[in-house]
Amino acid sequence: METVIVKITENDIENRKKIEAAGALLRQGELAAFPTETVYGLGADALNPQASQKIYEAKGRPSDNPLIVHISKIEDLEKITKRVPENARKLAERFWPGPLTMIFEKNELVPLETTGGLQTVAVRMPDHPTALSLIQAGGGFIAAPSANTSGKPSPTRAEHVALDLQGRIPMILDGGPVGIGIESTILDVTETVPVILRPGSITKEMIREVIGEVRMDPGLAKEDTQIPPKAPGMKYKHYAPKAELILVAGVQEKVQERINDLVREGTEAGKKVGVIGTDESCGKYLQGIVKSIGTRTDERTIARHLYGILREFDDLKVDIIYSESFSAPGIGQAVMNRLLKAAGHQVIEV
């Protein structure tokens, strides 16, 4: 299969034609990758079970890992769910369009192929003009996980998508680099007290300001279990580079000392070693291939660069990566969630 990469420009008329062509593919049951404000998504008609199945096949994704349904109008939420709780309505009014996914009881319109066999459906409205236009052109309900090979770092540029899915999908809409860089927050609103299943840039504190009580899923801090995942990223190793990734956590000075020791040991053993630090700390590392993920004074830079840095280490063919931990409040919590998944929960405490 030939994959056509279509550049989105500043010309509205040209873009409309390109997006209509991508929408036509989706209506025909085919796939198209597209930018959102979080990461690039791999879209298919969410109400077409065969189309959803093609997503799993293209990504090599386990079929029990549910897909997120993307909509472009809040009123469309009623069409695919059994009910919309009042607290969910408040959150939609506050955060949609935006990087918040909510889980509802699905109705019969949504096939089990889209929900990973579950009776719930994850829904969000992206905050990106190309994504919103494509959803409308494609029929209104687009299932879209991240547009990467399953388990690899999520794509934040069209070239990342092409690297993973060239020849597997017919079209990629290239809208340039994304803004946020990590996936949406996922909140289960079917529970009496809503539960965050995946942290993101919409934080627990932001949600609490709108609806009051909310809790974090206890499984976020643990290794994957055999329980069927209710949301993407809960069960399987995700976001992982080809090299082994190990986090080092603790007081910053001690972390830097330990990483220097580990890099020296690895280098002496003939390994190619990578280090993930920050603008503030990279100068403290004496050996290895050192990359800054951003500055601790602005957590958003760390989130934005995370997946790109992991992919750069893939290109450099390093054998092992040691990363500082990022336990800051807010979006730093989401960054740690992704790093823990990528590392398979390998953490050295110092």
Side-chain angles (χ1 to χ4, degrees), residues 184-187 195-200 204 214-225 231-235 239 333-341 344-345 347:
S184 60
T185 303
I186 298 181
L187 182 71
V195 182
I196 294 174
L197 303 181
R198 182 177 73 188
K204 180 181 179 181
V214 61
R215 62 188 178 91
M216 303 291 288
D217 185 272
L220 288 171
K222 300 176 184 176
E223 293 188 20
D224 297 331
T225 70
M234 291 193 71
K235 179 178 178 182
Y239 326 115
Q333 201 171 43
V335 171
M336 273 304 292
N337 169 262
R338 306 312 194 270
L339 278 170
L340 282 167
K341 281 284 185 182
H345 287 259
V347 183

PDB file of all heavy atoms in Angstrom, residues 184-187 195-200 204 214-225 231-235 239 333-341 344-345 347:
ATOM      1  N   SER A 184      -4.325  12.718  25.971  1.00  0.00           N
ATOM      2  CA  SER A 184      -5.338  13.357  26.812  1.00  0.00           C
ATOM      3  C   SER A 184      -5.472  12.669  28.165  1.00  0.00           C
ATOM      4  O   SER A 184      -5.159  11.485  28.332  1.00  0.00           O
ATOM      5  CB  SER A 184      -6.699  13.315  26.100  1.00  0.00           C
ATOM      6  OG  SER A 184      -7.079  11.962  25.855  1.00  0.00           O
ATOM      7  N   THR A 185      -5.951  13.434  29.129  1.00  0.00           N
ATOM      8  CA  THR A 185      -6.393  12.870  30.409  1.00  0.00           C
ATOM      9  C   THR A 185      -7.615  11.998  30.137  1.00  0.00           C
ATOM     10  O   THR A 185      -8.482  12.375  29.354  1.00  0.00           O
ATOM     11  CB  THR A 185      -6.784  14.007  31.372  1.00  0.00           C
ATOM     12  OG1 THR A 185      -5.675  14.883  31.529  1.00  0.00           O
ATOM     13  CG2 THR A 185      -7.224  13.469  32.720  1.00  0.00           C
ATOM     14  N   ILE A 186      -7.677  10.827  30.785  1.00  0.00           N
ATOM     15  CA  ILE A 186      -8.869   9.973  30.661  1.00  0.00           C
ATOM     16  C   ILE A 186      -9.556   9.889  32.017  1.00  0.00           C
ATOM     17  O   ILE A 186      -8.945   9.525  33.025  1.00  0.00           O
ATOM     18  CB  ILE A 186      -8.520   8.564  30.162  1.00  0.00           C
ATOM     19  CG1 ILE A 186      -7.908   8.635  28.760  1.00  0.00           C
ATOM     20  CG2 ILE A 186      -9.775   7.684  30.143  1.00  0.00           C
ATOM     21  CD1 ILE A 186      -7.553   7.285  28.164  1.00  0.00           C
ATOM     22  N   LEU A 187     -10.845  10.231  32.032  1.00  0.00           N
ATOM     23  CA  LEU A 187     -11.645  10.249  33.253  1.00  0.00           C
ATOM     24  C   LEU A 187     -12.858   9.344  33.085  1.00  0.00           C
ATOM     25  O   LEU A 187     -13.645   9.513  32.149  1.00  0.00           O
ATOM     26  CB  LEU A 187     -12.107  11.681  33.553  1.00  0.00           C
ATOM     27  CG  LEU A 187     -12.920  11.880  34.825  1.00  0.00           C
ATOM     28  CD1 LEU A 187     -12.036  11.718  36.059  1.00  0.00           C
ATOM     29  CD2 LEU A 187     -13.594  13.257  34.837  1.00  0.00           C
ATOM     30  N   VAL A 195     -13.087   8.728  38.172  1.00  0.00           N
ATOM     31  CA  VAL A 195     -11.741   8.177  38.379  1.00  0.00           C
ATOM     32  C   VAL A 195     -10.850   8.557  37.196  1.00  0.00           C
ATOM     33  O   VAL A 195     -11.210   8.337  36.038  1.00  0.00           O
ATOM     34  CB  VAL A 195     -11.786   6.647  38.507  1.00  0.00           C
ATOM     35  CG1 VAL A 195     -10.386   6.093  38.779  1.00  0.00           C
ATOM     36  CG2 VAL A 195     -12.746   6.209  39.599  1.00  0.00           C
ATOM     37  N   ILE A 196      -9.666   9.109  37.481  1.00  0.00           N
ATOM     38  CA  ILE A 196      -8.681   9.383  36.431  1.00  0.00           C
ATOM     39  C   ILE A 196      -7.936   8.089  36.116  1.00  0.00           C
ATOM     40  O   ILE A 196      -7.249   7.529  36.975  1.00  0.00           O
ATOM     41  CB  ILE A 196      -7.696  10.482  36.869  1.00  0.00           C
ATOM     42  CG1 ILE A 196      -8.443  11.814  37.021  1.00  0.00           C
ATOM     43  CG2 ILE A 196      -6.554  10.628  35.855  1.00  0.00           C
ATOM     44  CD1 ILE A 196      -7.591  12.938  37.581  1.00  0.00           C
ATOM     45  N   LEU A 197      -8.094   7.607  34.898  1.00  0.00           N
ATOM     46  CA  LEU A 197      -7.446   6.371  34.459  1.00  0.00           C
ATOM     47  C   LEU A 197      -6.124   6.641  33.762  1.00  0.00           C
ATOM     48  O   LEU A 197      -5.270   5.758  33.675  1.00  0.00           O
ATOM     49  CB  LEU A 197      -8.372   5.592  33.515  1.00  0.00           C
ATOM     50  CG  LEU A 197      -9.742   5.222  34.074  1.00  0.00           C
ATOM     51  CD1 LEU A 197     -10.532   4.423  33.035  1.00  0.00           C
ATOM     52  CD2 LEU A 197      -9.619   4.425  35.364  1.00  0.00           C
ATOM     53  N   ARG A 198      -5.961   7.838  33.219  1.00  0.00           N
ATOM     54  CA  ARG A 198      -4.695   8.245  32.600  1.00  0.00           C
ATOM     55  C   ARG A 198      -4.518   9.740  32.832  1.00  0.00           C
ATOM     56  O   ARG A 198      -5.345  10.530  32.393  1.00  0.00           O
ATOM     57  CB  ARG A 198      -4.695   7.941  31.092  1.00  0.00           C
ATOM     58  CG  ARG A 198      -3.374   8.296  30.397  1.00  0.00           C
ATOM     59  CD  ARG A 198      -3.388   7.908  28.927  1.00  0.00           C
ATOM     60  NE  ARG A 198      -4.232   8.781  28.115  1.00  0.00           N
ATOM     61  CZ  ARG A 198      -4.537   8.558  26.835  1.00  0.00           C
ATOM     62  NH1 ARG A 198      -4.072   7.473  26.242  1.00  0.00           N
ATOM     63  NH2 ARG A 198      -5.302   9.403  26.171  1.00  0.00           N
ATOM     64  N   PRO A 199      -3.449  10.156  33.522  1.00  0.00           N
ATOM     65  CA  PRO A 199      -3.237  11.594  33.733  1.00  0.00           C
ATOM     66  C   PRO A 199      -2.782  12.278  32.450  1.00  0.00           C
ATOM     67  O   PRO A 199      -2.182  11.656  31.573  1.00  0.00           O
ATOM     68  CB  PRO A 199      -2.145  11.637  34.801  1.00  0.00           C
ATOM     69  CG  PRO A 199      -1.427  10.339  34.671  1.00  0.00           C
ATOM     70  CD  PRO A 199      -2.433   9.332  34.176  1.00  0.00           C
ATOM     71  N   GLY A 200      -3.080  13.545  32.349  1.00  0.00           N
ATOM     72  CA  GLY A 200      -2.690  14.341  31.189  1.00  0.00           C
ATOM     73  C   GLY A 200      -2.591  15.796  31.574  1.00  0.00           C
ATOM     74  O   GLY A 200      -2.439  16.138  32.762  1.00  0.00           O
ATOM     75  N   LYS A 204      -5.888  16.609  37.933  1.00  0.00           N
ATOM     76  CA  LYS A 204      -6.876  16.290  38.964  1.00  0.00           C
ATOM     77  C   LYS A 204      -7.410  17.560  39.615  1.00  0.00           C
ATOM     78  O   LYS A 204      -8.612  17.686  39.866  1.00  0.00           O
ATOM     79  CB  LYS A 204      -6.227  15.377  40.013  1.00  0.00           C
ATOM     80  CG  LYS A 204      -7.143  14.975  41.150  1.00  0.00           C
ATOM     81  CD  LYS A 204      -6.393  14.099  42.146  1.00  0.00           C
ATOM     82  CE  LYS A 204      -7.273  13.704  43.325  1.00  0.00           C
ATOM     83  NZ  LYS A 204      -6.523  12.870  44.302  1.00  0.00           N
ATOM     84  N   VAL A 214     -12.864  13.789  43.019  1.00  0.00           N
ATOM     85  CA  VAL A 214     -12.354  12.953  41.934  1.00  0.00           C
ATOM     86  C   VAL A 214     -11.171  12.178  42.501  1.00  0.00           C
ATOM     87  O   VAL A 214     -10.491  12.654  43.414  1.00  0.00           O
ATOM     88  CB  VAL A 214     -11.927  13.814  40.715  1.00  0.00           C
ATOM     89  CG1 VAL A 214     -10.806  14.781  41.078  1.00  0.00           C
ATOM     90  CG2 VAL A 214     -11.501  12.949  39.547  1.00  0.00           C
ATOM     91  N   ARG A 215     -10.928  10.971  42.001  1.00  0.00           N
ATOM     92  CA  ARG A 215      -9.818  10.182  42.528  1.00  0.00           C
ATOM     93  C   ARG A 215      -8.977   9.611  41.396  1.00  0.00           C
ATOM     94  O   ARG A 215      -9.418   9.518  40.259  1.00  0.00           O
ATOM     95  CB  ARG A 215     -10.315   9.063  43.445  1.00  0.00           C
ATOM     96  CG  ARG A 215     -11.207   8.027  42.781  1.00  0.00           C
ATOM     97  CD  ARG A 215     -11.814   7.078  43.799  1.00  0.00           C
ATOM     98  NE  ARG A 215     -12.707   6.122  43.179  1.00  0.00           N
ATOM     99  CZ  ARG A 215     -12.326   4.922  42.730  1.00  0.00           C
ATOM    100  NH1 ARG A 215     -11.054   4.545  42.838  1.00  0.00           N
ATOM    101  NH2 ARG A 215     -13.183   4.089  42.168  1.00  0.00           N
ATOM    102  N   MET A 216      -7.748   9.238  41.743  1.00  0.00           N
ATOM    103  CA  MET A 216      -6.831   8.617  40.790  1.00  0.00           C
ATOM    104  C   MET A 216      -6.997   7.105  40.862  1.00  0.00           C
ATOM    105  O   MET A 216      -7.165   6.542  41.947  1.00  0.00           O
ATOM    106  CB  MET A 216      -5.377   8.978  41.116  1.00  0.00           C
ATOM    107  CG  MET A 216      -5.073  10.464  41.150  1.00  0.00           C
ATOM    108  SD  MET A 216      -5.156  11.264  39.534  1.00  0.00           S
ATOM    109  CE  MET A 216      -3.673  10.621  38.761  1.00  0.00           C
ATOM    110  N   ASP A 217      -6.928   6.432  39.720  1.00  0.00           N
ATOM    111  CA  ASP A 217      -6.978   4.982  39.716  1.00  0.00           C
ATOM    112  C   ASP A 217      -5.731   4.438  40.411  1.00  0.00           C
ATOM    113  O   ASP A 217      -4.604   4.821  40.063  1.00  0.00           O
ATOM    114  CB  ASP A 217      -7.045   4.466  38.280  1.00  0.00           C
ATOM    115  CG  ASP A 217      -7.210   2.963  38.225  1.00  0.00           C
ATOM    116  OD1 ASP A 217      -6.181   2.248  38.242  1.00  0.00           O
ATOM    117  OD2 ASP A 217      -8.360   2.496  38.182  1.00  0.00           O
ATOM    118  N   PRO A 218      -5.884   3.537  41.398  1.00  0.00           N
ATOM    119  CA  PRO A 218      -4.711   3.034  42.119  1.00  0.00           C
ATOM    120  C   PRO A 218      -3.757   2.251  41.229  1.00  0.00           C
ATOM    121  O   PRO A 218      -2.571   2.141  41.528  1.00  0.00           O
ATOM    122  CB  PRO A 218      -5.314   2.137  43.207  1.00  0.00           C
ATOM    123  CG  PRO A 218      -6.697   1.823  42.738  1.00  0.00           C
ATOM    124  CD  PRO A 218      -7.144   2.998  41.938  1.00  0.00           C
ATOM    125  N   GLY A 219      -4.245   1.736  40.107  1.00  0.00           N
ATOM    126  CA  GLY A 219      -3.398   0.970  39.204  1.00  0.00           C
ATOM    127  C   GLY A 219      -2.371   1.807  38.464  1.00  0.00           C
ATOM    128  O   GLY A 219      -1.452   1.260  37.854  1.00  0.00           O
ATOM    129  N   LEU A 220      -2.486   3.149  38.534  1.00  0.00           N
ATOM    130  CA  LEU A 220      -1.538   4.005  37.819  1.00  0.00           C
ATOM    131  C   LEU A 220      -0.123   3.856  38.346  1.00  0.00           C
ATOM    132  O   LEU A 220       0.846   4.045  37.618  1.00  0.00           O
ATOM    133  CB  LEU A 220      -1.965   5.473  37.940  1.00  0.00           C
ATOM    134  CG  LEU A 220      -3.194   5.881  37.130  1.00  0.00           C
ATOM    135  CD1 LEU A 220      -3.633   7.280  37.500  1.00  0.00           C
ATOM    136  CD2 LEU A 220      -2.903   5.786  35.639  1.00  0.00           C
ATOM    137  N   ALA A 221       0.015   3.510  39.608  1.00  0.00           N
ATOM    138  CA  ALA A 221       1.341   3.419  40.208  1.00  0.00           C
ATOM    139  C   ALA A 221       1.903   2.002  40.173  1.00  0.00           C
ATOM    140  O   ALA A 221       2.993   1.765  40.660  1.00  0.00           O
ATOM    141  CB  ALA A 221       1.286   3.905  41.658  1.00  0.00           C
ATOM    142  N   LYS A 222       1.149   1.065  39.572  1.00  0.00           N
ATOM    143  CA  LYS A 222       1.566  -0.332  39.596  1.00  0.00           C
ATOM    144  C   LYS A 222       1.881  -0.833  38.205  1.00  0.00           C
ATOM    145  O   LYS A 222       1.552  -0.209  37.207  1.00  0.00           O
ATOM    146  CB  LYS A 222       0.439  -1.192  40.199  1.00  0.00           C
ATOM    147  CG  LYS A 222       0.065  -0.796  41.620  1.00  0.00           C
ATOM    148  CD  LYS A 222      -1.114  -1.620  42.087  1.00  0.00           C
ATOM    149  CE  LYS A 222      -1.574  -1.193  43.474  1.00  0.00           C
ATOM    150  NZ  LYS A 222      -2.780  -1.938  43.903  1.00  0.00           N
ATOM    151  N   GLU A 223       2.474  -2.007  38.171  1.00  0.00           N
ATOM    152  CA  GLU A 223       2.724  -2.637  36.882  1.00  0.00           C
ATOM    153  C   GLU A 223       1.409  -3.105  36.282  1.00  0.00           C
ATOM    154  O   GLU A 223       0.392  -3.225  36.946  1.00  0.00           O
ATOM    155  CB  GLU A 223       3.687  -3.816  37.051  1.00  0.00           C
ATOM    156  CG  GLU A 223       5.083  -3.381  37.472  1.00  0.00           C
ATOM    157  CD  GLU A 223       6.063  -4.523  37.437  1.00  0.00           C
ATOM    158  OE1 GLU A 223       5.781  -5.524  36.744  1.00  0.00           O
ATOM    159  OE2 GLU A 223       7.101  -4.419  38.089  1.00  0.00           O
ATOM    160  N   ASP A 224       1.437  -3.444  34.973  1.00  0.00           N
ATOM    161  CA  ASP A 224       0.240  -3.892  34.269  1.00  0.00           C
ATOM    162  C   ASP A 224      -0.316  -5.153  34.905  1.00  0.00           C
ATOM    163  O   ASP A 224       0.410  -6.022  35.352  1.00  0.00           O
ATOM    164  CB  ASP A 224       0.571  -4.169  32.805  1.00  0.00           C
ATOM    165  CG  ASP A 224       1.012  -2.924  32.078  1.00  0.00           C
ATOM    166  OD1 ASP A 224       0.586  -1.829  32.448  1.00  0.00           O
ATOM    167  OD2 ASP A 224       1.795  -3.056  31.147  1.00  0.00           O
ATOM    168  N   THR A 225      -1.641  -5.264  34.910  1.00  0.00           N
ATOM    169  CA  THR A 225      -2.305  -6.443  35.441  1.00  0.00           C
ATOM    170  C   THR A 225      -3.001  -7.169  34.303  1.00  0.00           C
ATOM    171  O   THR A 225      -2.950  -6.770  33.152  1.00  0.00           O
ATOM    172  CB  THR A 225      -3.358  -6.030  36.483  1.00  0.00           C
ATOM    173  OG1 THR A 225      -4.445  -5.377  35.793  1.00  0.00           O
ATOM    174  CG2 THR A 225      -2.775  -5.061  37.510  1.00  0.00           C
ATOM    175  N   ALA A 231      -9.358   1.779  29.580  1.00  0.00           N
ATOM    176  CA  ALA A 231      -8.888   2.938  28.810  1.00  0.00           C
ATOM    177  C   ALA A 231      -7.559   2.604  28.162  1.00  0.00           C
ATOM    178  O   ALA A 231      -6.836   1.725  28.644  1.00  0.00           O
ATOM    179  CB  ALA A 231      -8.737   4.150  29.725  1.00  0.00           C
ATOM    180  N   PRO A 232      -7.219   3.268  27.064  1.00  0.00           N
ATOM    181  CA  PRO A 232      -5.936   3.021  26.408  1.00  0.00           C
ATOM    182  C   PRO A 232      -4.764   3.226  27.366  1.00  0.00           C
ATOM    183  O   PRO A 232      -4.765   4.140  28.179  1.00  0.00           O
ATOM    184  CB  PRO A 232      -5.906   4.070  25.293  1.00  0.00           C
ATOM    185  CG  PRO A 232      -7.333   4.397  25.042  1.00  0.00           C
ATOM    186  CD  PRO A 232      -8.017   4.281  26.364  1.00  0.00           C
ATOM    187  N   GLY A 233      -3.775   2.351  27.267  1.00  0.00           N
ATOM    188  CA  GLY A 233      -2.549   2.539  28.030  1.00  0.00           C
ATOM    189  C   GLY A 233      -2.562   1.963  29.424  1.00  0.00           C
ATOM    190  O   GLY A 233      -1.585   2.086  30.145  1.00  0.00           O
ATOM    191  N   MET A 234      -3.654   1.299  29.841  1.00  0.00           N
ATOM    192  CA  MET A 234      -3.721   0.813  31.215  1.00  0.00           C
ATOM    193  C   MET A 234      -3.058  -0.550  31.400  1.00  0.00           C
ATOM    194  O   MET A 234      -2.515  -0.838  32.462  1.00  0.00           O
ATOM    195  CB  MET A 234      -5.177   0.722  31.667  1.00  0.00           C
ATOM    196  CG  MET A 234      -5.859   2.058  31.845  1.00  0.00           C
ATOM    197  SD  MET A 234      -7.418   1.922  32.714  1.00  0.00           S
ATOM    198  CE  MET A 234      -6.874   1.529  34.379  1.00  0.00           C
ATOM    199  N   LYS A 235      -3.104  -1.399  30.385  1.00  0.00           N
ATOM    200  CA  LYS A 235      -2.669  -2.783  30.575  1.00  0.00           C
ATOM    201  C   LYS A 235      -1.306  -3.078  29.994  1.00  0.00           C
ATOM    202  O   LYS A 235      -0.511  -3.806  30.586  1.00  0.00           O
ATOM    203  CB  LYS A 235      -3.720  -3.717  29.954  1.00  0.00           C
ATOM    204  CG  LYS A 235      -3.380  -5.204  30.072  1.00  0.00           C
ATOM    205  CD  LYS A 235      -4.493  -6.045  29.483  1.00  0.00           C
ATOM    206  CE  LYS A 235      -4.143  -7.531  29.539  1.00  0.00           C
ATOM    207  NZ  LYS A 235      -5.178  -8.363  28.926  1.00  0.00           N
ATOM    208  N   TYR A 239       4.610   3.498  24.916  1.00  0.00           N
ATOM    209  CA  TYR A 239       5.494   4.662  24.753  1.00  0.00           C
ATOM    210  C   TYR A 239       6.983   4.302  24.772  1.00  0.00           C
ATOM    211  O   TYR A 239       7.828   5.164  24.987  1.00  0.00           O
ATOM    212  CB  TYR A 239       5.224   5.710  25.855  1.00  0.00           C
ATOM    213  CG  TYR A 239       3.804   5.819  26.314  1.00  0.00           C
ATOM    214  CD1 TYR A 239       3.427   5.493  27.612  1.00  0.00           C
ATOM    215  CD2 TYR A 239       2.807   6.246  25.436  1.00  0.00           C
ATOM    216  CE1 TYR A 239       2.102   5.592  28.034  1.00  0.00           C
ATOM    217  CE2 TYR A 239       1.485   6.351  25.848  1.00  0.00           C
ATOM    218  CZ  TYR A 239       1.143   6.017  27.145  1.00  0.00           C
ATOM    219  OH  TYR A 239      -0.167   6.117  27.552  1.00  0.00           O
ATOM    220  N   GLN A 333       3.012  14.954  36.559  1.00  0.00           N
ATOM    221  CA  GLN A 333       2.426  13.668  36.939  1.00  0.00           C
ATOM    222  C   GLN A 333       2.150  12.823  35.697  1.00  0.00           C
ATOM    223  O   GLN A 333       2.396  11.613  35.673  1.00  0.00           O
ATOM    224  CB  GLN A 333       1.125  13.931  37.702  1.00  0.00           C
ATOM    225  CG  GLN A 333       0.654  12.792  38.566  1.00  0.00           C
ATOM    226  CD  GLN A 333      -0.506  13.233  39.449  1.00  0.00           C
ATOM    227  OE1 GLN A 333      -1.427  13.929  38.992  1.00  0.00           O
ATOM    228  NE2 GLN A 333      -0.490  12.838  40.695  1.00  0.00           N
ATOM    229  N   ALA A 334       1.667  13.466  34.647  1.00  0.00           N
ATOM    230  CA  ALA A 334       1.394  12.762  33.397  1.00  0.00           C
ATOM    231  C   ALA A 334       2.683  12.305  32.730  1.00  0.00           C
ATOM    232  O   ALA A 334       2.755  11.214  32.164  1.00  0.00           O
ATOM    233  CB  ALA A 334       0.604  13.672  32.454  1.00  0.00           C
ATOM    234  N   VAL A 335       3.718  13.143  32.793  1.00  0.00           N
ATOM    235  CA  VAL A 335       5.013  12.770  32.222  1.00  0.00           C
ATOM    236  C   VAL A 335       5.550  11.526  32.920  1.00  0.00           C
ATOM    237  O   VAL A 335       6.030  10.586  32.281  1.00  0.00           O
ATOM    238  CB  VAL A 335       6.015  13.941  32.340  1.00  0.00           C
ATOM    239  CG1 VAL A 335       7.427  13.484  31.956  1.00  0.00           C
ATOM    240  CG2 VAL A 335       5.584  15.096  31.448  1.00  0.00           C
ATOM    241  N   MET A 336       5.451  11.491  34.251  1.00  0.00           N
ATOM    242  CA  MET A 336       5.930  10.324  34.991  1.00  0.00           C
ATOM    243  C   MET A 336       5.130   9.076  34.645  1.00  0.00           C
ATOM    244  O   MET A 336       5.681   7.974  34.547  1.00  0.00           O
ATOM    245  CB  MET A 336       5.876  10.590  36.490  1.00  0.00           C
ATOM    246  CG  MET A 336       7.113  11.275  37.040  1.00  0.00           C
ATOM    247  SD  MET A 336       8.660  10.367  36.692  1.00  0.00           S
ATOM    248  CE  MET A 336       8.429   8.906  37.702  1.00  0.00           C
ATOM    249  N   ASN A 337       3.841   9.226  34.447  1.00  0.00           N
ATOM    250  CA  ASN A 337       3.014   8.091  34.045  1.00  0.00           C
ATOM    251  C   ASN A 337       3.511   7.492  32.742  1.00  0.00           C
ATOM    252  O   ASN A 337       3.656   6.267  32.604  1.00  0.00           O
ATOM    253  CB  ASN A 337       1.552   8.541  33.901  1.00  0.00           C
ATOM    254  CG  ASN A 337       0.670   7.505  33.230  1.00  0.00           C
ATOM    255  OD1 ASN A 337       0.414   7.589  32.033  1.00  0.00           O
ATOM    256  ND2 ASN A 337       0.220   6.524  33.989  1.00  0.00           N
ATOM    257  N   ARG A 338       3.838   8.361  31.757  1.00  0.00           N
ATOM    258  CA  ARG A 338       4.317   7.864  30.470  1.00  0.00           C
ATOM    259  C   ARG A 338       5.702   7.239  30.606  1.00  0.00           C
ATOM    260  O   ARG A 338       5.989   6.202  30.001  1.00  0.00           O
ATOM    261  CB  ARG A 338       4.357   8.997  29.440  1.00  0.00           C
ATOM    262  CG  ARG A 338       3.063   9.782  29.248  1.00  0.00           C
ATOM    263  CD  ARG A 338       1.819   8.911  29.073  1.00  0.00           C
ATOM    264  NE  ARG A 338       0.709   9.683  28.580  1.00  0.00           N
ATOM    265  CZ  ARG A 338      -0.180  10.311  29.346  1.00  0.00           C
ATOM    266  NH1 ARG A 338      -0.067  10.283  30.665  1.00  0.00           N
ATOM    267  NH2 ARG A 338      -1.192  10.978  28.801  1.00  0.00           N
ATOM    268  N   LEU A 339       6.573   7.870  31.393  1.00  0.00           N
ATOM    269  CA  LEU A 339       7.921   7.331  31.562  1.00  0.00           C
ATOM    270  C   LEU A 339       7.891   5.980  32.279  1.00  0.00           C
ATOM    271  O   LEU A 339       8.636   5.059  31.923  1.00  0.00           O
ATOM    272  CB  LEU A 339       8.790   8.317  32.343  1.00  0.00           C
ATOM    273  CG  LEU A 339       9.399   9.461  31.530  1.00  0.00           C
ATOM    274  CD1 LEU A 339      10.026  10.488  32.457  1.00  0.00           C
ATOM    275  CD2 LEU A 339      10.439   8.939  30.539  1.00  0.00           C
ATOM    276  N   LEU A 340       7.037   5.842  33.279  1.00  0.00           N
ATOM    277  CA  LEU A 340       6.923   4.561  33.974  1.00  0.00           C
ATOM    278  C   LEU A 340       6.459   3.468  33.026  1.00  0.00           C
ATOM    279  O   LEU A 340       6.964   2.340  33.056  1.00  0.00           O
ATOM    280  CB  LEU A 340       5.954   4.692  35.158  1.00  0.00           C
ATOM    281  CG  LEU A 340       6.512   5.378  36.404  1.00  0.00           C
ATOM    282  CD1 LEU A 340       5.383   5.728  37.370  1.00  0.00           C
ATOM    283  CD2 LEU A 340       7.537   4.481  37.087  1.00  0.00           C
ATOM    284  N   LYS A 341       5.492   3.785  32.180  1.00  0.00           N
ATOM    285  CA  LYS A 341       5.023   2.814  31.183  1.00  0.00           C
ATOM    286  C   LYS A 341       6.141   2.452  30.219  1.00  0.00           C
ATOM    287  O   LYS A 341       6.351   1.299  29.874  1.00  0.00           O
ATOM    288  CB  LYS A 341       3.842   3.400  30.411  1.00  0.00           C
ATOM    289  CG  LYS A 341       2.530   3.328  31.164  1.00  0.00           C
ATOM    290  CD  LYS A 341       1.989   1.924  31.140  1.00  0.00           C
ATOM    291  CE  LYS A 341       0.626   1.829  31.787  1.00  0.00           C
ATOM    292  NZ  LYS A 341       0.138   0.435  31.790  1.00  0.00           N
ATOM    293  N   GLY A 344       8.631   0.171  31.713  1.00  0.00           N
ATOM    294  CA  GLY A 344       8.142  -1.069  32.290  1.00  0.00           C
ATOM    295  C   GLY A 344       8.231  -1.045  33.804  1.00  0.00           C
ATOM    296  O   GLY A 344       8.449  -2.054  34.464  1.00  0.00           O
ATOM    297  N   HIS A 345       8.083   0.158  34.395  1.00  0.00           N
ATOM    298  CA  HIS A 345       8.119   0.383  35.840  1.00  0.00           C
ATOM    299  C   HIS A 345       9.483   0.043  36.456  1.00  0.00           C
ATOM    300  O   HIS A 345       9.553  -0.279  37.643  1.00  0.00           O
ATOM    301  CB  HIS A 345       6.993  -0.374  36.541  1.00  0.00           C
ATOM    302  CG  HIS A 345       5.641   0.233  36.306  1.00  0.00           C
ATOM    303  ND1 HIS A 345       4.998   1.024  37.220  1.00  0.00           N
ATOM    304  CD2 HIS A 345       4.807   0.171  35.235  1.00  0.00           C
ATOM    305  CE1 HIS A 345       3.837   1.421  36.744  1.00  0.00           C
ATOM    306  NE2 HIS A 345       3.691   0.920  35.535  1.00  0.00           N
ATOM    307  N   VAL A 347      12.486   1.385  38.139  1.00  0.00           N
ATOM    308  CA  VAL A 347      12.881   2.612  38.831  1.00  0.00           C
ATOM    309  C   VAL A 347      13.969   2.291  39.849  1.00  0.00           C
ATOM    310  O   VAL A 347      13.828   1.370  40.644  1.00  0.00           O
ATOM    311  CB  VAL A 347      11.683   3.280  39.552  1.00  0.00           C
ATOM    312  CG1 VAL A 347      12.118   4.595  40.193  1.00  0.00           C
ATOM    313  CG2 VAL A 347      10.527   3.514  38.586  1.00  0.00           C
TER     314      VAL A 347
END
